[in-house]
Amino acid sequence: PVERPRGANFLLRPRFRGEVQFREVAFRYPGRELSALNGVSCSIRAGDRVGVIGRVGSGKSTLAKLLVGLYQPQAGGILLDGTESRQIDPADLRRNIGYLPQTVILFSGTVRENLVLGAPHAGDEAILRAARLAGLDEHIGRNPQGYDLTVGERGEALSGGQRQLVALARALLLDPPILLLDEPAQAMDHSSEERLKQRLANELAF
């Protein structure tokens, strides 16, 4: 199945500023009786850094999935730079939003192939920058195969922390104006988390 229904005319938005608005958003997962979100409204300005905290199951990951377009709200709307997200070409959403999900899934292939999955024409400079920001280069640089290292089905040849770094580098690859990180340091030790925060603070104006 494709994300562009036949006859749909999407708006082309090659580059976002990064303004986000949730307007009375409600969402319930298929087959569930209770809503994951109900009447959520908020505004995020371009350049803002926002942390969402809450109990397990309170809808934090759902917010990210709705924003990146993996699901659509049953009520309300999500605006990106003032445009309803459902009007925007899905390819533009993917290009402008870097997303690190809570559950990382890699595909059988090499580290490089997993990094450029959504951007097959990305050059070596962009790959190396993303890997350095994520901290992936510290691990790949020690391996003779480097970015041609085979990760195995679902990334089984890598540790949990290494899989997370590959997914983080993938989210950073296109230098997106909107970056969604869902528990980005859950598989890292404290020192690795602190180094990651410092790199992002230095280079992404965090």
Side-chain angles (χ1 to χ4, degrees):
V2 297
E3 292 187 298
R4 296 179 180 84
R6 182 174 297 177
N9 292 313
F10 291 108
L11 296 174
L12 299 179
R13 299 296 301 271
R15 190 69 175 174
F16 296 169
R17 292 189 307 276
E19 296 175 0
V20 176
Q21 282 185 300
F22 281 76
R23 292 185 173 177
E24 294 295 322
V25 170
F27 176 76
R28 184 176 66 245
Y29 285 99
R32 302 282 182 86
E33 294 184 4
L34 298 178
S35 294
L37 299 172
N38 190 21
V40 173
S41 295
C42 68
S43 295
I44 302 172
R45 296 172 300 182
D48 278 356
R49 300 178 299 277
V50 178
V52 180
I53 60 174
R55 294 179 296 181
V56 172
S58 60
K60 303 183 297 296
S61 296
T62 303
L63 285 173
K65 292 175 182 177
L66 288 172
L67 182 55
V68 81
L70 296 179
Y71 292 99
Q72 300 297 337
Q74 277 97 28
I78 301 170
L79 279 66
L80 297 169
D81 292 350
T83 301
E84 225 288 343
S85 63
R86 284 170 283 200
Q87 297 181 30
I88 300 173
D89 191 311
D92 287 339
L93 282 178
R94 304 291 181 267
R95 191 179 304 112
N96 282 277
I97 302 176
Y99 177 46
L100 173 64
Q102 189 175 38
T103 302
V104 171
I105 297 177
L106 301 183
F107 300 91
S108 180
T110 66
V111 170
R112 179 189 294 270
E113 288 168 341
N114 273 276
L115 281 177
V116 302
L117 188 63
H121 302 298
D124 289 347
E125 184 176 345
I127 292 172
L128 291 172
R129 176 182 179 273
R132 179 172 51 80
L133 277 176
L136 178 63
D137 62 333
E138 298 175 6
H139 301 269
I140 294 301
R142 301 190 190 111
N143 192 295
Q145 294 178 283
Y147 293 90
D148 291 325
L149 175 68
T150 300
V151 304
E153 189 66 36
R154 300 176 65 88
E156 291 176 351
L158 303 179
S159 69
Q162 289 171 332
R163 289 196 295 270
Q164 193 168 33
L165 293 178
V166 172
L168 176 57
R170 183 165 59 196
L172 294 165
L173 182 62
L174 295 180
D175 191 21
I178 299 174
L179 184 61
L180 303 176
L181 305 178
D182 193 348
E183 298 195 27
Q186 64 175 335
M188 298 181 191
D189 57 41
H190 178 71
S191 61
S192 297
E193 179 181 356
E194 289 301 314
R195 290 198 301 272
L196 171 63
K197 287 159 59 177
Q198 190 61 53
R199 286 191 300 270
L200 294 179
N202 290 341
E203 304 228 9
L204 300 183
F206 274 35

